[in-house]
Amino acid sequence: MDGHVLGPVSVEVTGRKGAVGTTKVAALFGLLVTSPGCRCSRQEIAEILWEGEEGVGDRVDWVVRELRKRLGKDLVPHGGKSGFCTLRVPAGSVDYLRFLEGWRRAALLPLPERFEQLRAALEEWEEDEPLRGLIESGFRVRRERMRGERFAAVCDLLEAAWRSGKQKWFREESEKWYARSPRHPRIFQYYLIAHGWDMPQREFDRLVNQWRRHSGAPDAELQSVIDRLRGEAPRSGGTVLLPIPDQLPAEERRPVGQEDLVSALVDVVCEEQDAGRTALVLLSGMPGVGKSTVALHVARQLRERFPDGVLYTELNGFIDGEVRPTEPEQVLDGFLAALPPYSTVTGVQGKSAALRSALANRSALFVLDDAFNTKQVLPLLPGVGTCAVIITSRDELGGLCAQKRVHSHRMKLLRDEAALEVLQERVSEKDRSKYAVAFAELVQLCGNLPLALTVVERRLRDRPLQIIHGLVREMKKERAGLDALHLPEHDMSVRVALNSSVRALSEEARLLLWQLALHPGPSVAWEAVMDLGAEGEAMHADGVLGELVAANLVELHTDRYRLHDLVRAFARHHIPAPLGDEEAFEKATVRQVLEHQLQNVRACDRLLDRQRTLPIGEPDGVKVADLVDTQHALELLDKEYDTIRRGIELAVSQGAKRYIWLLPMALVTYQWRRGRLADALNDLGRAAEVAETAASPVDCAMVYRMLAGTRWRLEEFELAAGNLRRAVRLSRQDESERGRLSLARSLYALGITLRKQDRGTQAEENLRQSLALYREVLDPVGEAAALNGIGALHYDRGEYGEALHWCADALSVVERTVDRRGRADVLFTLAKVHVARYERDEAIALYRQACDIYQEQEYWPDEDKARRLFADVLVSAGSSQEAVEELERVLVLREQMGGTDVQEIRELLEGLR
């Protein structure tokens, strides 16, 4: 295809008719080429091609079909039901698009190459009037925009010529363009720079005053040139002193939610400047967190404090595609051109020294945006003085911080309120309320990342707000969610931003990030990361993890590592899998994750329940925490709980049977202590299904006992009894000592469950059988529990003497063991017996001992139950203040366990106070 719009419209395709002139088909081609992404809605086509007319839908269909017929379906594909017409433009096939691309590329080049690139781009303009002959008002607007783009490129070309020292060309071209556009401020500025130095003063003043009469007051940059030409002697060679540089790009977005950070950074720079020191500020953070936006906003607030100007450069440290990070020498060339006197030195070191010399008696502000590493930044820094440098980077630039006094700030994600503000900035109050739930979901799906939020806001801007529900559904699909955050036509893409960071990583770091994405999260302990790293050959996992943290792709929060959800999604779907057998490597990684969890949870469980033996085996290639005591074990599980639960889900999704049943079994004691019974019931239900085929009868019986214990705590006694009868049947299949012990435990659990169902005779029968078995296999902990259970049955019957007898025997046995929890259970039963016998003093002492042990062992549900009854006894004894203390502890426990029945306790406390 060969297309032209910088003049009369024409398009030719080999073997096809094409379009030319002012026909509607040619006009549609011109409209598409000059639209963002070469894409227009049917409504826009109708409004521009048939201006002021209604009911032109058929004509829109006709002109689209006609353009497709002339160019082919490859270039003009069917839009389906999208309501848009799109032109797929081959690279470099249209003069206007070649001009734009050349102009864009020029901005990334050093000065000499930039000059040549701009000249080549502007050669596409063979005529002054683009879209010639198309008279509709929509084209007049576009024509003015295109002329403005040409003028901007011409000014960039003149700037490049001036700074590159191409004085003859600069003088000739500035004169030519001044003759064509004498009122344009930048053209007039360049004309004065090129010719004003050799004008007589009267002629110079006449020219300036004439410009003022026609164009108004000069802007700051033009006025600076005028002032310098009036007050400074001309330089040899016909070049005047450069105006004070002010290179900050136009502000695109305000830093929503970052007001405190902006204020703090402004204060830091002012304090350093007032103290006569150079201020170095580093803004780091993950891709898309808003570093550049904050840096530019801070610079704009500070620009008046730096009389020698503001310089800005894009260092391209993490830009997608084939563009390499900008070489320091290229940046130094630009800075030295803006800060004379000029230097003839060569090489990075010489130019860096020249920059420091040029700044020795100046106060200038520098913004170094998107730095790649310390090596790129160091040559660009001023020496002593009152300059300031604001640096942004995705990397922590540890080397820079080690060598210089740097005020380093790692930017955080937005708070929910600020994130909502980004999404709703253009949304009415009515629609904010109407779609409140959907907006909140979008904030969560974007992970409060400013770039992601900005992309979503842009997607919603030109569409009916009703699509928000579809966008939420799309983003809930992990891979589709990343696609939804990709808007290349607006130069906004989370995927591209993350890709440019990942490309900068070492191979080992990319591999570890890929493995971390397989980890269920939401956070990972250092030891677990080290075990992950063991799967990679010759990987120094600790150093590699440090690389990921420094790159702000992994966050260290207190003592745990986290991946942002969008980083996790990108790593899963866009980081190439390791070479070789991808499936085998993935399985090995998942096994490493789950084995680490299993071995560490089991290590905790050994301290929480010393009686259970799980068929897990010894650790194989994973690190296990060195636990001190029960408290340490509970603290570790408190931190790891959410991650372990996700690990169970991962095991289920991968069909990893070993972990589907063993992880819940290792975790259940903790869940009981913390009152997480719904979680335990869900996990153990799946564990029981798998254990039926994957575990021995004795181990399967243990799963059913744990499931029954959970139902028991939920007061689902009938279901618990059913699970225990299954456990009894399974236990009877094994005649070994282990099988006899399993049967004893199953019968005991069934006995205490039947007691809860008021089936005392059957309960006692099962408890007596379990007692005999416990004595047979020499298990004193079980023996004490069975004795206590029989004592409780006598208590239920009002046989308090018998109850005391059995419980005293139980206490005698349990005191010969280290089973503190069993001792607390016996003391609790004895306390209730003494209350029934009106022996309050004895009961109070026993309750206090039992409650202290439950608290020490962190058995929250049992402590809650014991203290609640203890409070009643204290009230009856007239010790209301002590009862209040007990109930306050109960309130804390219930809030920690999810807030169930807290109102009852508050009402009791209110009555006692």
Side-chain angles (χ1 to χ4, degrees):
M1 185 180 83
D2 183 22
H4 300 271
V5 294
L6 299 179
V9 175
S10 67
V11 57
E12 297 179 3
V13 177
T14 304
R16 292 184 177 273
K17 183 178 180 181
V20 67
T22 60
T23 65
K24 293 296 185 185
V25 178
L28 176 58
F29 174 77
L31 179 62
L32 291 171
V33 167
T34 56
S35 296
C38 294
R39 185 172 184 256
C40 270
S41 68
R42 289 171 50 82
Q43 181 180 351
E44 192 173 8
I45 295 170
E47 289 174 351
I48 293 180
L49 298 192
W50 286 278
E51 187 175 8
E53 298 184 40
E54 296 182 359
V56 295
D58 292 342
R59 281 185 272 181
V60 172
D61 292 338
W62 168 81
V63 74
V64 172
R65 284 197 305 271
E66 189 66 22
L67 184 64
R68 185 179 297 118
K69 185 189 306 179
R70 297 188 183 198
L71 302 187
K73 295 179 180 179
D74 290 342
L75 298 181
V76 188
H78 288 283
K81 298 180 179 179
S82 67
F84 285 84
C85 178
T86 303
L87 180 68
R88 290 180 177 167
V89 184
S93 60
V94 180
D95 54 1
Y96 174 56
L97 300 181
R98 289 195 297 270
F99 157 70
L100 290 178
E101 176 60 19
W103 184 23
R104 184 194 69 79
R105 287 207 313 269
L108 305 174
L109 297 173
L111 279 172
E113 291 91 339
R114 187 186 312 167
F115 172 76
E116 296 300 336
Q117 178 65 57
L118 286 166
R119 285 186 68 181
L122 283 161
E123 285 175 1
E124 298 291 343
W125 286 78
E126 297 180 357
E127 302 189 32
D128 287 339
E129 184 178 9
L131 302 169
R132 182 147 56 86
L134 301 179
I135 61 173
E136 292 84 357
S137 61
F139 287 114
R140 289 199 294 274
V141 171
R142 288 166 186 252
R143 191 176 293 117
E144 288 306 310
R145 185 196 75 205
M146 295 166 75
R147 285 172 176 160
E149 291 168 342
R150 182 191 189 191
F151 253 101
V154 167
C155 290
D156 287 349
L157 178 60
L158 290 170
E159 176 92 6
W162 169 37
R163 293 186 181 279
S164 300
K166 301 184 181 298
Q167 295 188 24
K168 182 175 183 299
W169 189 96
F170 178 59
R171 286 174 63 84
E172 292 173 355
E173 289 297 308
S174 62
E175 186 170 16
K176 181 181 77 173
W177 280 99
Y178 175 66
R180 294 178 61 174
S181 302
R183 306 293 171 242
H184 193 285
R186 285 191 72 190
I187 296 295
F188 185 50
Q189 173 183 317
Y190 293 125
Y191 177 76
L192 290 181
I193 291 171
H195 300 278
W197 64 273
D198 55 0
M199 284 183 187
Q201 188 67 44
R202 181 176 300 176
E203 174 62 18
F204 178 81
D205 290 341
R206 183 196 66 78
L207 191 65
V208 171
N209 291 333
Q210 176 181 308
W211 194 90
R212 287 178 185 273
R213 284 196 300 274
H214 289 94
S215 305
D219 60 24
E221 193 171 352
L222 175 56
Q223 186 62 53
S224 174
V225 172
I226 293 170
D227 292 344
R228 288 184 175 228
L229 281 166
R230 281 175 171 161
E232 300 281 349
R235 294 178 57 80
S236 60
T239 302
V240 300
L241 291 175
L242 296 177
I244 296 172
D246 189 355
Q247 299 178 351
L248 293 180
E251 186 168 14
E252 296 181 1
R253 295 188 295 272
R254 64 188 180 95
V256 176
Q258 301 289 2
E259 293 79 9
D260 290 346
L261 175 60
V262 169
S263 177
L265 294 177
V266 169
D267 290 345
V268 162
V269 173
C270 293
E271 288 172 9
E272 292 291 277
Q273 187 186 42
D274 293 343
R277 296 190 294 263
T278 294
L280 298 182
V281 173
L282 170 64
L283 283 172
S284 64
M286 71 176 290
V289 79
K291 302 178 291 294
S292 298
T293 301
V294 168
L296 292 173
H297 199 73
V298 170
R300 289 186 188 93
Q301 293 198 18
L302 289 167
R303 71 201 319 167
E304 298 302 324
R305 291 184 63 99
F306 293 90
D308 294 302
V310 182
L311 292 97
Y312 170 87
T313 188
E314 169 59 68
L315 293 176
N316 297 324
F318 298 90
I319 192 168
D320 201 43
E322 299 303 318
V323 179
R324 293 179 57 80
T326 307
E327 292 295 333
E329 189 167 1
Q330 297 177 14
V331 180
L332 287 167
D333 287 342
F335 285 172
L336 289 170
L339 295 166
Y342 299 103
S343 173
T344 59
V345 297
T346 60
V348 173
Q349 291 185 349
K351 292 177 181 180
S352 181
L355 177 66
R356 292 192 295 275
S357 297
L359 293 169
N361 297 307
R362 286 189 168 112
S363 183
L365 173 64
F366 293 76
V367 179
L368 308 179
D369 199 11
D370 194 25
F372 182 66
N373 57 22
T374 298
K375 183 179 178 181
Q376 187 188 33
V377 170
L378 279 174
L380 310 179
L381 301 181
V384 296
T386 57
C387 292
V389 185
I390 302 173
I391 307 160
T392 73
S393 179
R394 299 181 190 181
D395 192 89
E396 299 290 340
L397 301 186
L400 178 67
C401 296
Q403 297 180 54
K404 302 287 184 179
R405 175 188 167 93
V406 180
H407 299 275
S408 183
H409 298 264
R410 185 183 184 279
M411 286 189 60
K412 299 178 181 179
L413 300 168
L414 295 179
R415 294 195 177 109
D416 288 347
E417 298 81 6
L420 274 172
E421 187 179 346
V422 173
L423 288 181
Q424 298 177 338
E425 191 171 9
R426 293 177 173 84
V427 178
S428 68
E429 287 296 329
K430 179 181 177 182
D431 284 338
R432 289 186 184 193
S433 177
K434 182 178 179 180
Y435 298 103
V437 174
F439 275 119
E441 287 185 293
L442 285 176
V443 166
Q444 184 178 13
L445 291 166
C446 290
N448 295 53
L449 183 69
L451 175 59
L453 294 162
T454 303
V455 173
V456 170
E457 187 276 330
R458 190 65 187 80
R459 282 177 64 98
L460 292 173
R461 188 184 303 176
D462 300 326
R463 296 170 174 84
L465 204 50
Q466 296 93 312
I467 74 162
I468 193 170
H469 298 299
L471 183 57
V472 169
R473 287 193 297 272
E474 182 181 359
M475 290 186 63
K476 284 182 177 179
K477 304 170 186 173
E478 192 173 67
R479 185 162 196 153
L482 277 177
D483 292 340
L485 297 175
H486 179 66
L487 285 181
E489 65 270 26
H490 296 291
D491 198 25
M492 292 188 294
S493 173
V494 171
R495 192 169 71 212
V496 169
L498 291 172
N499 186 58
S500 57
S501 278
V502 170
R503 288 176 62 222
L505 297 173
S506 65
E507 287 293 332
E508 292 87 352
R510 280 197 290 272
L511 174 59
L512 184 57
L513 186 61
W514 185 84
Q515 290 182 295
L516 284 170
L518 293 177
H519 193 284
S523 65
V524 192
W526 179 86
E527 294 82 2
V529 182
M530 296 305 99
D531 281 345
L532 269 183
E535 277 301 310
E537 293 183 8
M539 181 185 292
H540 305 290
D542 188 41
V544 174
L545 179 60
E547 181 182 349
L548 291 173
V549 172
N552 282 296
L553 291 168
V554 172
E555 178 189 4
L556 174 60
H557 184 69
T558 59
D559 60 346
R560 299 183 66 78
Y561 296 89
R562 292 177 178 270
L563 285 186
H564 190 281
D565 286 344
L566 295 176
V567 175
R568 185 185 301 277
F570 178 85
R572 280 178 178 165
H573 300 291
H574 295 284
I575 293 182
L579 295 177
D581 190 339
E582 175 186 347
E583 184 177 353
F585 194 90
E586 180 174 344
K587 285 184 177 179
T589 299
V590 169
R591 182 260 175 201
Q592 201 77 354
V593 168
L594 297 176
E595 190 66 23
H596 175 91
Q597 288 190 345
L598 181 59
Q599 294 291 350
N600 279 275
V601 176
R602 177 52 180 146
C604 296
D605 190 59
R606 282 191 175 121
L607 292 171
L608 302 182
D609 185 347
R610 300 175 185 273
Q611 305 306 309
R612 283 197 305 151
T613 303
L614 295 172
I616 289 174
E618 293 304 309
D620 178 18
V622 297
K623 298 175 179 64
V624 178
D626 186 12
L627 301 169
V628 177
D629 52 23
T630 300
Q631 181 68 28
H632 190 187
L634 288 166
E635 288 174 358
L636 188 150
L637 289 174
D638 285 339
K639 291 179 181 179
E640 291 282 352
Y641 184 71
D642 290 340
T643 301
I644 297 163
R645 292 287 327 288
R646 291 195 184 189
I648 294 171
E649 296 300 325
L650 176 63
V652 171
S653 68
Q654 296 278 330
K657 291 185 176 182
R658 167 178 168 82
Y659 306 102
I660 294 173
W661 82 272
L662 282 174
L663 259 177
M665 287 295 291
L667 188 62
V668 66
T669 307
Y670 168 83
Q671 290 173 319
W672 287 353
R673 290 197 182 203
R674 292 299 193 237
R676 299 178 182 269
L677 302 179
D679 291 348
L681 192 63
N682 180 70
D683 299 342
L684 289 168
R686 290 185 297 205
E689 292 178 12
V690 172
E692 287 281 359
T693 57
S696 69
V698 168
D699 291 327
C700 191
M702 180 167 48
V703 178
Y704 279 104
R705 283 200 302 277
M706 299 302 104
L707 184 56
T710 306
R711 293 194 184 281
W712 195 90
R713 287 163 174 79
L714 289 166
E715 299 187 358
E716 299 173 356
F717 300 118
E718 188 64 37
L719 293 172
N723 293 145
L724 290 168
R725 291 187 179 97
R726 176 63 178 154
V728 169
R729 289 194 296 271
L730 287 164
S731 300
R732 292 191 191 281
Q733 295 179 25
D734 189 332
E735 294 296 331
S736 68
E737 183 174 327
R738 187 164 176 259
R740 303 291 284 169
L741 179 58
S742 174
L743 180 57
R745 290 171 176 168
S746 302
L747 289 167
Y748 166 76
L750 181 56
I752 62 172
T753 303
L754 292 169
R755 176 193 169 220
K756 284 290 185 181
Q757 296 177 280
D758 295 325
R759 297 159 75 172
T761 302
Q762 293 179 19
E764 185 169 359
E765 178 183 343
N766 282 276
L767 288 171
R768 287 182 179 275
Q769 289 183 54
S770 70
L771 177 60
L773 287 166
Y774 278 132
R775 286 172 171 169
E776 177 187 324
V777 297
L778 302 178
D779 184 338
V781 172
E783 179 184 352
L787 288 167
N788 188 53
I790 296 171
L793 282 170
H794 285 288
Y795 164 78
D796 294 341
R797 297 167 184 156
E799 300 165 355
Y800 303 129
E802 283 295 304
L804 281 177
H805 167 72
W806 285 95
C807 290
D809 285 351
L811 188 60
S812 173
V813 173
V814 81
E815 284 180 339
R816 299 198 298 269
T817 73
V818 294
D819 182 21
R820 298 280 289 164
R821 191 269 175 84
R823 175 179 171 78
D825 289 344
V826 176
L827 293 171
F828 179 54
T829 306
L830 278 169
K832 292 193 295 180
V833 174
H834 282 291
V835 169
R837 288 164 59 94
Y838 302 102
E839 298 164 351
R840 273 200 303 249
D841 291 343
E842 291 87 346
I844 288 171
L846 292 165
Y847 266 127
R848 186 167 284 122
Q849 290 180 61
C851 290
D852 288 348
I853 294 174
Y854 285 138
Q855 182 171 2
E856 163 205 316
Q857 297 291 307
E858 293 203 40
Y859 280 97
W860 288 352
D862 292 339
E863 184 189 352
D864 166 68
K865 178 174 62 175
R867 289 192 188 277
R868 174 65 187 83
L869 293 176
F870 186 22
D872 288 343
V873 175
L874 289 169
V875 170
S876 69
S879 302
S880 297
Q881 183 55 45
E882 287 187 75
V884 166
E885 294 174 4
E886 295 302 318
L887 289 173
E888 285 176 342
R889 172 63 181 167
V890 171
L891 187 61
V892 169
L893 289 168
R894 293 193 181 182
E895 288 174 344
Q896 288 175 325
M897 293 187 292
T900 304
D901 296 329
V902 294
Q903 188 58 35
E904 172 210 351
I905 306 303
R906 290 195 178 107
E907 291 173 359
L908 287 171
L909 283 168
E910 186 176 345
L912 289 172
R913 288 169 177 159

